[in-house]
Each structure stands twice: as structure tokens, then as C-alpha cells.
């Protein structure tokens, strides 16, 4: 690792993912995740000369070892990159790469504005003092874990969840700031959960938008909190992350509609925000313990399992 030279934001920058010669196998661009874009690639052996990047870049090796040469700020880094290693390249610095064989990599691009926003909210420092450093071929189990969860979201095209992906992106940004930047302060810990009024407003917002792919920022704004602190306090109050609670609300609403018997299961699935009937079936059986069809056929003999929304706001 070497601390990068002072950044020059006046330089013309590029988004690396828009300039790569290969097409991604998987991409999050169509999903509209706030602050982060991730893409999975099979890159053949190549050399790439890049103007300054407009985003902070984490490249995770998901396949076989390969030899990489990187030049950044006049410094040359060279070595084997094994499976699980990351390359962290900060924004605003021209870079050159050479690799000697086909590689399977996951590129995670963070908007600098997103990183500074998380720094101000979660780590509580002046965003102007946050400098991300470059790191070459280091192993980081936390980045590996979160990256693979995000990759799973890309692979499960029909089962994506924006709230879940953005929660992971926030956690990854906090880790990036704490471990790979000039910041050395620890985030102030919030405890006690949301106030009753804020919790009720957040839950009402989730319920009113069950059929929509709402973002973490949208719910947090409803209760005047940062997305990072909202997610922490919401889980303290409910025992569930926002995306988990959203799924439970969808299942509960689906159960109510199934008991009424006026709609087909497939129509209920899309009405409450699931992608299709199989998506509903998977979560419904996991939470309720039986399939939607059983509830529809014999609703009077099947009891709801788990907490209702009212249990969380009592």
C-alpha cells in the first residue's frame, strides 16, 4: 500500500466500466443502486491505460491466480493476485494495468460523493478530509463476504432487492472508510432504536409502497435520518433489517388477500411487490410454513406464524 498523491478533481475523468473493451457477464447498472455499480467480467489477458477514474474502484479476483502490473502515481506494483485478493484504486488518479492471463473479476465502483456522504453520516468526520488510499493484492474477508452477497444479488435476476443491496453497499463503504482511508475515528454508536413515531412512519412508508422497489435513502428521508443510522436503528427496533421487514410485510399482505379469495395467486404476488408467483411461494413458505395455495384453500385452519406489523409498534 502507498498513500496516493493529492487528488486533482479538475482533471477529466472516466468511468472505468464505460471504457472496458469487454462486455460484462453481469451488471447492476439497470438496478439503480445508489452510490455503487458492480459488474462481473471474464477479461482476457490485456493491457489497459486509463485516465483518472471518476469512481473509487475495488477489483476482487474471483478465479485463478494471475500476475498483475499496476502503475499509479509514478509507482509500479507487481505480483500475483490470488483468489479473494482485492486491488483498491482511488478515484482521480491515472492508472495503467497489465495482466498475463484470462481473469474472472468483480469490479465494484463507488461514487466519491457516496463515500464522503457515508463518512459524514456513519464515521462522523469532515468529508473533505477523507482520502482513499490505493492497495495492491491484499486479502480482506469482509470485502470478500459482502462482495459475494452483492454478486449473488446480480446472479438472482428475478429475486433482487434494492433495500438489501443498498444496505450491503453502505456496510462496504463504512469498511472502506475505516480500513482504507485517512479516517481514523470510530463511528458513534446509536442505541435504543427508533422512536415510536419514527418507527410507525417508516413502517407506514414501507407498507404504502409494497409494490415498489424503494431505496434505503427514501425510507430514511421519511424519518429525517441518514440511511446508515436508519438501518441500524430500524434493526434495533424490529429485530429485522429493512429489506427483511419489507419481505415480511409483503407476505403478510399476500396472506390477507389469499384469505379473501378474490385474486389469483400470481396476481397477488405482483400486487404486493414480488416478481412472480415463484418468488412469493419461496418467501411465503419460509415465513408462514406452508404454501400460498394451502392458505387460499383452507384459510380458516391455518394460523399466521411470526410477528405482525402491530407487534413492532405496540
Amino acid at each position: 500500500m502507498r498513500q496516493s498523491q493529492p487528488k486533482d478533481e479538475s482533471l477529466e475523468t472516466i468511468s472505468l466500466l464505460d471504457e472496458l473493451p469487454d462486455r460484462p457477464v453481469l451488471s447492476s447498472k439497470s438496478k439503480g443502486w445508489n452510490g455503487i455499480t458492480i459488474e462481473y467480467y471474464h477479461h482476457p489477458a490485456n493491457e489497459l491505460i486509463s485516465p483518472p477514474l471518476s469512481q473509487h474502484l475495488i477489483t476482487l479476483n474471483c478465479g485463478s491466480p494471475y500476475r498483475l502490473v499496476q502503475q499509479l502515481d509514478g509507482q509500479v506494483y507487481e505480483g500475483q493476485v490470488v483468489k479473494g485478493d482485492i486491488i483498491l484504486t482511488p478515484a482521480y488518479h491515472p492508472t495503467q494495468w497489465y495482466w498475463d492471463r484470462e481473469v474472472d473479476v468483480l469490479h465494484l465502483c463507488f461514487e466519491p460523493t457516496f463515500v464522503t456522504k457515508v463518512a459524514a453520516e456513519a464515521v462522523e468526520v469532515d468529508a473533505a478530509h477523507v482520502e482513499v488510499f490505493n492497495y495492491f493484492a491484499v486479502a480482506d474477508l469482509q470485502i470478500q463476504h459482502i462482495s459475494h452477497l452483492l454478486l449473488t444479488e446480480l446472479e438472482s435476476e428475478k429475486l433482487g432487492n434494492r433495500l438489501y443491496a443498498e444496505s450491503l453497499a453502505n456496510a462496504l463503504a463504512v469498511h472502506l472508510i475505516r480500513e482504507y482511508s485517512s479516517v481514523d475515528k470510530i463511528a458513534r454508536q446509536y442505541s435504543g432504536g427508533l422512536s415510536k413515531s419514527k418507527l410507525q412512519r417508516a413502517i407506514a412508508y414501507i407498507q404504502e409502497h409494497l409494490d415498489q422497489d424503494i431505496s434505503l435513502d427514501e425510507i430514511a428521508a421519511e424519518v429525517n435520518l441518514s440511511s446508515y443510522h436508519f438501518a441500524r436503528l430500524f434493526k434495533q427496533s424490529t429485530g429485522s433489517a429493512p429489506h427483511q421487514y419489507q419481505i415480511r410485510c409483503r407476505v403478510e399482505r399476500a396472506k390477507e388477500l389469499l384469505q379473501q379469495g378474490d385474486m389469483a395467486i400470481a396476481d397477488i404476488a405482483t400486487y404486493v411487490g414480488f416478481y412472480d408467483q415463484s418468488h412469493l411461494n419461496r418467501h411465503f413458505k419460509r415465513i408462514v410454513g406452508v404454501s400460498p395455495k394451502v392458505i387460499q384453500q383452507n384459510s380458516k385452519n391455518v394460523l399466521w406464524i411470526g410477528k405482525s406489523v402491530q407487534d413492532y409498534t405496540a
Side-chain angles (χ1 to χ4, degrees), residues 194-209 214-226 230 234 237-238 245 249 309 312-314:
L194 293 167
S195 67
K196 184 175 180 179
S197 62
K198 287 184 181 291
L199 180 59
Q200 289 174 331
R201 282 160 54 194
I203 287 174
Y205 190 88
I206 291 173
Q207 290 178 321
E208 290 165 6
H209 299 83
I214 56 176
S215 72
L216 192 61
D217 283 347
E218 289 171 343
I219 310 175
E222 185 70 13
V223 294
N224 299 314
L225 287 171
S226 71
F230 166 73
F234 186 90
S237 295
T238 66
Y245 188 85
C249 285
V309 170
Y312 289 113
T313 57

Side-chain angles (χ1 to χ4, degrees), residues 67-251:
R67 177 176 168 269
L68 176 68
V69 180
Q70 181 191 38
Q71 183 172 328
L72 186 144
D73 289 335
Q75 182 78 17
V76 176
Y77 305 89
E78 181 175 0
Q80 283 286 107
V81 183
V82 301
K83 186 174 183 178
D85 278 357
I86 65 162
I87 309 297
L88 172 56
T89 306
Y92 311 120
H93 300 278
T95 312
Q96 182 173 346
W97 295 274
Y98 164 79
W99 58 98
D100 65 344
R101 52 162 296 163
E102 183 180 61
V103 297
D104 295 312
V105 296
L106 185 68
H107 294 307
L108 304 97
C109 293
F110 288 90
E111 297 293 339
T113 52
F114 174 70
V115 173
T116 54
K117 174 175 175 284
V118 171
E121 294 174 350
V123 191
E124 298 178 335
V125 297
D126 184 350
H129 296 143
V130 177
E131 183 78 11
V132 175
F133 301 146
N134 61 295
Y135 279 77
F136 183 88
V138 296
D140 187 308
L141 294 179
Q142 182 81 345
I143 292 179
Q144 289 179 37
H145 177 65
I146 297 177
S147 297
H148 282 113
L149 292 175
L150 286 166
L151 179 58
T152 299
E153 283 298 294
L154 287 187
E155 293 172 334
S156 303
E157 284 291 330
K158 297 178 68 176
L159 305 180
N161 186 295
R162 187 178 180 186
L163 282 179
Y164 179 49
E166 291 183 358
S167 296
L168 293 174
N170 271 272
L172 190 54
V174 170
H175 182 72
L176 177 69
I177 294 162
R178 288 176 172 171
E179 301 298 330
Y180 300 99
S181 80
S182 54
V183 172
D184 58 5
K185 294 185 179 180
I186 303 300
R188 176 160 57 94
Q189 298 299 310
Y190 281 65
S191 61
L194 293 167
S195 67
K196 184 175 180 179
S197 62
K198 287 184 181 291
L199 180 59
Q200 289 174 331
R201 282 160 54 194
I203 287 174
Y205 190 88
I206 291 173
Q207 290 178 321
E208 290 165 6
H209 299 83
L210 281 183
D211 63 333
Q212 299 175 29
D213 192 18
I214 56 176
S215 72
L216 192 61
D217 283 347
E218 289 171 343
I219 310 175
E222 185 70 13
V223 294
N224 299 314
L225 287 171
S226 71
S227 56
Y228 176 80
H229 287 133
F230 166 73
R232 288 175 60 86
L233 297 177
F234 186 90
K235 187 169 185 178
Q236 288 176 17
S237 295
T238 66
S240 300
H243 73 276
Q244 295 170 328
Y245 188 85
Q246 180 193 54
I247 289 173
R248 182 171 287 275
C249 285
R250 286 173 171 171
V251 167

